[in-house]
Amino acid sequence: MFSTIVITGGAGFIGSHVVRLFVNKYPNCHIINLDKLTYAGNLANLKDVEGKPNYEFVKMDICDFDAFYKLIQDKKVDGIIHLAAESHVDRSIKDPFTFARTNVMGTLTLLQAAKLYWESLPEKYEGKRFYHISTDEVYGALQLTNPEGVPAPFSTKASSESQHEAYGKDFFVETTKYNPHSPYSASKASSDHFVRAFHDTYGMPTVVTNCSNNYGPYQFPEKLIPLFINNIRHRKPLPVYGEGLNVRDWLYVEDHARAIDTIFHNGKIAETYNIGGFNEWKNIDIVKVLIQTVDKALDRVKLETTETGETIETYPDMDLITHVTDRLGHDARYAIDSRKLQRELGWEPSLQFEEGIEKTVKWYLDNQEWMDNVTSGDYQKYYENMYSNR
Ligand code: NAD
Ligand code: DAU
């Protein structure tokens, strides 16, 4: 068992779910949430755990070597779960330097400090672990149709095996060659290489996971799902990039947090595990599901009688869909094969997408104060800069 774990980026979207899970599940383990609190970090994401005796927050930049070295030495840290990053592709296209600094230099800083501290101990790397959270985007992009011409997504309901067979095995696996396209994914790929290099060169006990798109509560509304839920609520245009035909594989964030727990404790050292939902959706279809779910929740659905006398439901907010200029270098399709994780460690997603999206929409509608707080101030400038004249 670990005695003191640092979770970096714990005030962000996925990090806050990981912190909550670990603080509640491991009361005898001291959990340190290390976060710089950038625009994406928000301690309001963790109100329910802030008073727990095994929880501590430390405001720190992962690029600050001296501060991090002192922290892990003072607190005798034996586990590090590294999520802190600049995470938004569109921001990386406008400002790649920040991504190289945080994602590459920040990760290297943590690795080097952990190496020096752990190697100074009599037991060295025994009982230690450095777990790096990465993304499926490092693998590049898949085709929108399989070799037989069947368009993706194959099916959102098929079991992982049947979906895998039917799609012609065109999924990212752990051995897929890295081929990142955006400054974000290039920076994450570089950080993954540094983590593996620290295992291969110094014997550091590392593990890396590459996960697909997450959704759920506490996601900053620069990402598709929370941004669109908020815009539908306020009847603002929904800026769909290009035709909206790009495909993503969506996983409920608590399922990702559970996978991180399983892999941190039981994953093999130096291994890579892919984590995904076997749940592919075209963007435009996700947008329609979001409109239907929000309109139902807000009682906006209209009943219309067709010429044949049939009564049908219509969703007035479908009119908000606005096709805008595509993202530069927009990856066509991501799809993860997570069968290694299922086979070796018994993890699989627990939620069907329909249930997850309903929970997610309900959470954002019920937590308008959270949304109002994160969309005040700089967010308006960000929105203008990213979307006006697009
Ligand atoms: P996020 O943007 O919501 O949160 C990032 C957190 O890191 C914030 O709390 C921020 O304050 C903190 N941070 C940023 N720079 C820092 C620095 N220099 N020092 C200390 N803290 C800093 O990100 P997220 O969506 O929760 O993603 C978390 C991790 O998971 C990232 O590494 C990301 O690449 C990876 N990932 C995300 C997804 C996804 O769908 N969101 C999928 C796969 C992998
Ligand atoms: O695949 C994992 C990755 O998923 C993570 O590594 C990233 O941190 C995370 O941000 C996410 O990246 P995406 O670029 O896929 O997520 P985003 O929510 O930004 O966009 C999802 C899709 O929706 C993508 O095809 C672009 C499109 N989109 C997005 C926004 C914000 C739009 O059409 N309009 C929008 O306004």
Side-chain angles (χ1 to χ4, degrees):
M1 262 332 250
F2 293 88
S3 65
T4 308
I5 300 172
V6 167
I7 300 176
T8 72
F13 167 49
I14 302 170
S16 62
H17 289 276
V18 177
V19 167
R20 176 174 299 103
L21 177 67
F22 274 65
V23 167
N24 289 326
K25 188 168 171 186
Y26 303 108
N28 296 325
C29 180
H30 188 59
I31 304 296
I32 302 173
N33 169 13
L34 185 162
D35 200 294
K36 183 183 174 185
L37 298 183
T38 67
Y39 77 91
N42 184 358
L43 289 177
N45 297 358
L46 285 165
K47 275 214 158 54
D48 53 322
V49 300
E50 67 191 9
K52 303 257 176 167
N54 62 331
Y55 172 72
E56 179 181 358
F57 171 70
V58 174
K59 188 170 188 302
M60 191 183 288
D61 187 335
I62 56 166
C63 298
D64 187 341
F65 178 89
D66 292 343
F68 184 69
Y69 185 85
K70 185 169 184 325
L71 177 82
I72 56 175
Q73 191 179 41
D74 288 354
K75 302 283 179 177
K76 300 187 170 37
V77 168
D78 49 5
I80 296 169
I81 304 180
H82 175 37
L83 295 108
E86 289 292 338
S87 70
H88 190 36
V89 173
D90 293 325
R91 287 187 193 252
S92 81
I93 293 168
K94 292 203 184 263
D95 172 23
F97 280 108
T98 304
F99 283 69
R101 178 186 180 275
T102 296
N103 299 356
V104 185
M105 290 308 292
T107 302
L108 180 55
T109 302
L110 302 182
L111 286 164
Q112 179 69 359
K115 169 189 179 290
L116 293 182
Y117 169 55
W118 287 340
E119 285 188 351
S120 75
L121 301 172
E123 77 279 13
K124 302 204 182 296
Y125 290 123
E126 188 64 39
K128 313 294 186 297
R129 184 155 284 208
F130 189 106
Y131 178 177
H132 176 62
I133 311 297
S134 192
T135 171
D136 58 1
E137 300 197 15
V138 297
Y139 297 124
L142 298 165
Q143 302 292 317
L144 280 176
T145 54
N146 79 355
E148 288 83 46
V150 179
F154 174 69
S155 163
T156 54
K157 287 223 168 115
S159 74
S160 55
E161 273 311 320
S162 61
Q163 183 166 6
H164 190 263
E165 287 308 315
Y167 202 76
K169 301 183 170 46
D170 191 18
F171 287 80
F172 295 137
V173 291
E174 286 79 0
T175 49
T176 301
K177 189 170 160 280
Y178 272 32
N179 186 20
H181 297 138
S182 72
Y184 163 68
S185 52
S187 69
K188 290 295 290 188
S190 171
S191 65
D192 296 7
H193 290 317
F194 271 110
V195 175
R196 294 192 179 105
F198 267 65
H199 170 268
D200 296 351
T201 309
Y202 309 112
M204 184 180 279
T206 58
V207 65
V208 177
T209 55
N210 298 83
C211 188
S212 63
N213 287 60
N214 285 215
Y215 71 99
Y218 301 111
Q219 186 169 30
F220 191 79
E222 63 189 351
K223 307 283 167 67
L224 179 78
I225 288 185
L227 190 151
F228 277 37
I229 294 172
N230 192 41
N231 281 16
I232 299 164
R233 181 185 194 132
H234 296 290
R235 294 204 147 119
K236 284 175 63 178
L238 305 175
V240 174
Y241 297 163
E243 294 299 308
L245 301 179
N246 305 64
V247 171
R248 297 289 183 267
D249 169 9
W250 294 92
L251 179 68
Y252 192 67
V253 62
E254 287 179 5
D255 278 334
H256 188 189
R258 261 194 322 107
I260 290 172
D261 177 27
T262 301
I263 294 161
F264 180 70
H265 288 98
N266 304 318
K268 279 196 218 130
I269 285 170
E271 284 289 329
T272 298
Y273 298 90
N274 278 354
I275 310 172
F278 275 110
N279 176 42
E280 291 179 60
W281 285 77
K282 266 188 272 182
N283 291 342
I284 192 69
D285 292 338
I286 291 259
V287 173
K288 288 176 184 164
V289 169
L290 291 175
I291 294 170
Q292 290 174 347
T293 314
V294 174
D295 277 0
K296 274 187 190 150
L298 296 180
D299 228 3
R300 292 177 179 172
V301 182
K302 297 235 181 323
L303 293 179
E304 279 179 16
T305 310
T306 63
E307 282 174 4
T308 58
E310 201 191 338
T311 305
I312 54 160
E313 290 186 340
T314 63
Y315 300 90
D317 291 334
M318 290 290 172
D319 291 349
L320 297 173
I321 294 176
T322 310
H323 292 277
V324 300
T325 309
D326 210 348
R327 175 183 277 174
L328 295 175
H330 199 170
D331 286 335
R333 170 175 175 253
Y334 305 141
I336 278 276
D337 178 352
S338 56
R339 290 178 306 158
K340 172 178 171 181
L341 178 57
Q342 291 180 358
R343 212 173 37 241
E344 293 187 9
L345 300 178
W347 174 92
E348 43 184 17
S350 71
L351 273 194
Q352 286 289 337
F353 188 65
E354 288 74 5
E355 193 186 342
I357 212 74
E358 251 180 52
K359 270 175 85 158
T360 302
V361 165
K362 182 170 172 5
W363 189 87
Y364 286 100
L365 296 180
D366 288 349
N367 288 275
Q368 190 57 40
E369 198 184 329
W370 180 92
M371 183 62 87
D372 288 343
N373 284 337
V374 298
T375 53
S376 60
D378 282 351
Y379 182 80
Q380 303 302 333
K381 273 188 245 153
Y382 164 81
Y383 203 92
E384 276 280 297
N385 184 23
M386 198 59 80
Y387 293 102
S388 65
N389 306 319
R390 185 161 186 152

